[in-house]
Amino acid sequence: MPNGELGDLLELRGIEKEFPGVKALKGVSFTVRPGEIHALCGENGAGKSTLIKVITGAHAHNAGEYLVDGKEVHFSSTDEAIGLGISCVYQELSIAPQLDVAQNLYIGNLPRKGRLIDHKKLYAETSRILAQLDLDVPPKTPAGELSVGQQQMIEIGRALTRNARCIIMDEPTSSLSEKEADTLFGIIRKLKARGIAIVYISHKLDEVMMLSDRITVIRDGENIVTQDTSKTTQDGLIAHMIGRSLENMYRKDPTEIGDVMLSVSGLTRPGVFTDVGFNVRRGEVVGFFGLVGAGRSEIMRALFGVDRYTEGEVVLDGKRLRAGDPPGAIRSGLGFCTEDRKKEGLMLRLTILLNATLVKLPLMSKYGVIDRAKQREEAHRYVESISIKCPSVHQKAGNLSGGNQQKVVLAKWLMLAPKVLIVDEPTRGIDVGSKAEIYGILNELAKDGMGIIVVSSEIEEIMGVCDRVITVFEGRVTGDFPVEGLSSDRVLAAALGKAMAQPTGLPAAPPDGAGAHTEDTAPATTVEAAAGTPDGQGGDEA
């Protein structure tokens, strides 16, 4: 099939896109060649999503030229783009869990014999596509039974059933385990070898540098640079993305570490975690690191009271916390920024004002009547103090970028001035600029004397922002190390259960072997729905 004069499959020249009051794209030029992996990078709000919607036909451009195979196109729908081989696998998967694998692969495109579905051809073609994806699952398996990684392969397979020549992947590894991500990388390389172009969007710059052939950076609606990856450094890429260098990406100033604020001993929930013990001191940042399924998040949910534990003790500032009592934990000074900010940390349809003040509403109320002036004053104060970028506190939280959503979650808990704050995966899915801001906020909180627990899957993050690292393997603490002089290899070995270390905190909790672990996560809901608010009353404004 003929390509453009420079051999480009797709070529965008001076593309502009304007919404009421906002110019989202300002003369963006972008090319994609057959059989290349082209990374598209930029902070949240830079214009990446708008550009992708123009490429896939979801948005019509206001100015500029869009060429496919050297011929100008004007898409009026995504179906027209799909017809020319351009598909997108979005971060939020569109799997129908009640349908089987074959039906999901060919949804909207089922093979037919006359007016009837050709089931024989459907399942034969599905087997062929699954083989290409190295996905060993029966075609009649209900899609809801597949892992997230397998469901993502189904999305890629759906694009292949429509003869995709360019597949756009939006944050494809954000919810994948390390093993699933490695499988995905292998499939991407196979697609590249077949001449299929991949546009790869990710905030994980190590993936971008490892996979891509070229990188285009967009900032404030403009393309800043397109470079061969081999001629690009990660530091240089960050500088292009945010318009400045990030010499101190990880903020960790020396702090005065005081007395023990949180003491955990013998914490056990059969089948999930066993004999967990550690301390957090005033002004100390303690990191929890482990592989997916190790039990890190389950331990944090139990500390806060969302999930129950059967044995053990949690003492906060000299006061023992009751198991399964989130309101009591909040009153005692424990805050919890959950792993999934969208499902558990925020009410996306509510405003920044309501989300930020949610857990403090009882303290802003008298006889059940909210002091609106005080509510607005508090919300404005935290929007300003932690730099939440928004036109108004009345904007819906769901319309914010990931980094600003995370700041709203932080603001909600900081309003209560907790003694100890748990932050689970605080920078997942947010851009490098917002990451640096989050690290700076945590650094300042520790300097002010707050004890902080950071749970993260990124070993560089844990090593960069924490004073101590606690490793977890199959529900047991396998190491408790001061960061000073610590190597990432030692941390990873402990997280894999290959090295057992006596925890340095008190009370000691020496592991005596690995216990079986099974996932036991509460249904997705806001933590506040389980916790109530500081006086045990519901905090959602009717």
Side-chain angles (χ1 to χ4, degrees), residues 246-266:
L246 265 185
E247 296 176 0
N248 298 312
M249 174 70 172
Y250 300 107
R251 291 280 303 279
K252 188 65 188 82
D253 295 333
T255 57
E256 183 178 341
I257 296 177
D259 297 332
V260 171
M261 289 294 295
L262 179 71
S263 176
V264 179
S265 59

Side-chain angles (χ1 to χ4, degrees), residues 104-375:
N104 269 279
L105 271 177
Y106 284 89
I107 195 166
N109 188 34
L110 293 167
R112 293 183 179 274
K113 271 186 179 179
R115 303 173 75 178
L116 301 176
I117 297 172
D118 187 341
H119 287 94
K120 183 178 180 180
K121 183 176 181 181
L122 171 65
Y123 291 107
E125 288 297 306
T126 295
S127 295
R128 182 178 63 83
I129 294 293
L130 295 178
Q132 292 178 22
L133 297 171
D134 293 334
L135 191 55
D136 186 19
V137 297
K140 294 185 179 181
T141 304
E145 295 180 6
L146 303 181
S147 70
V148 173
Q150 290 172 325
Q151 289 181 357
Q152 192 166 60
M153 292 299 176
I154 298 303
E155 294 266 16
I156 296 171
R158 186 183 298 161
L160 296 180
T161 67
R162 299 178 178 184
N163 300 314
R165 297 185 294 143
C166 176
I167 302 177
I168 300 163
M169 298 187 182
D170 183 14
E171 295 289 350
T173 63
S174 61
S175 300
L176 301 188
S177 67
E178 185 176 354
K179 184 177 180 181
E180 288 174 326
D182 285 340
T183 301
L184 175 65
F185 299 153
I187 296 301
I188 288 173
R189 292 185 179 106
K190 284 186 177 181
L191 295 175
K192 167 185 164 71
R194 289 174 51 189
I196 295 174
I198 305 293
V199 177
Y200 194 87
I201 304 168
S202 178
H203 291 308
K204 298 181 179 180
L205 300 187
D206 54 339
E207 293 179 2
V208 166
M209 299 297 292
M210 173 187 67
L211 279 175
S212 65
D213 300 300
R214 287 193 297 160
I215 301 172
T216 291
V217 174
I218 292 184
R219 186 174 74 239
D220 296 329
E222 301 179 79
N223 54 313
I224 302 302
V225 67
T226 296
Q227 287 183 321
D228 291 343
T229 305
S230 60
K231 299 177 182 177
T232 308
T233 66
Q234 189 162 318
D235 287 345
L237 185 57
I238 291 171
H240 285 309
M241 288 171 65
I242 65 174
R244 65 186 190 278
S245 64
L246 265 185
E247 296 176 0
N248 298 312
M249 174 70 172
Y250 300 107
R251 291 280 303 279
K252 188 65 188 82
D253 295 333
T255 57
E256 183 178 341
I257 296 177
D259 297 332
V260 171
M261 289 294 295
L262 179 71
S263 176
V264 179
S265 59
L267 210 65
T268 299
R269 186 181 182 188
V272 183
F273 50 81
T274 303
D275 198 23
V276 172
F278 63 93
N279 288 332
V280 179
R281 293 169 170 81
R282 188 186 306 274
E284 184 179 34
V285 182
V286 177
F288 265 72
F289 181 78
L291 305 183
V292 173
R296 305 163 307 169
S297 295
E298 290 82 355
I299 292 169
M300 299 306 137
R301 292 171 65 89
L303 291 182
F304 189 68
V306 178
D307 297 339
R308 286 186 171 272
Y309 51 90
T310 58
E311 298 177 40
E313 183 178 71
V314 180
V315 178
L316 179 57
D317 200 18
K319 179 182 178 181
R320 181 172 181 173
L321 303 186
R322 291 193 307 168
D325 181 20
I330 294 172
R331 289 193 297 269
S332 298
L334 186 62
F336 183 26
C337 297
T338 60
E339 178 180 16
D340 192 331
R341 59 179 172 267
K342 290 187 176 181
K343 291 183 179 179
E344 299 180 324
L346 292 170
M347 295 184 180
L348 297 176
R349 294 184 180 181
L350 298 186
T351 63
I352 297 168
L353 173 70
L354 286 169
N355 273 285
T357 58
L358 190 60
V359 294
K360 198 174 181 180
L361 282 180
L363 303 180
M364 298 177 178
S365 307
K366 191 171 184 179
Y367 305 118
V369 178
I370 299 170
D371 185 335
R372 301 291 183 183
K374 185 174 183 181
Q375 183 188 26

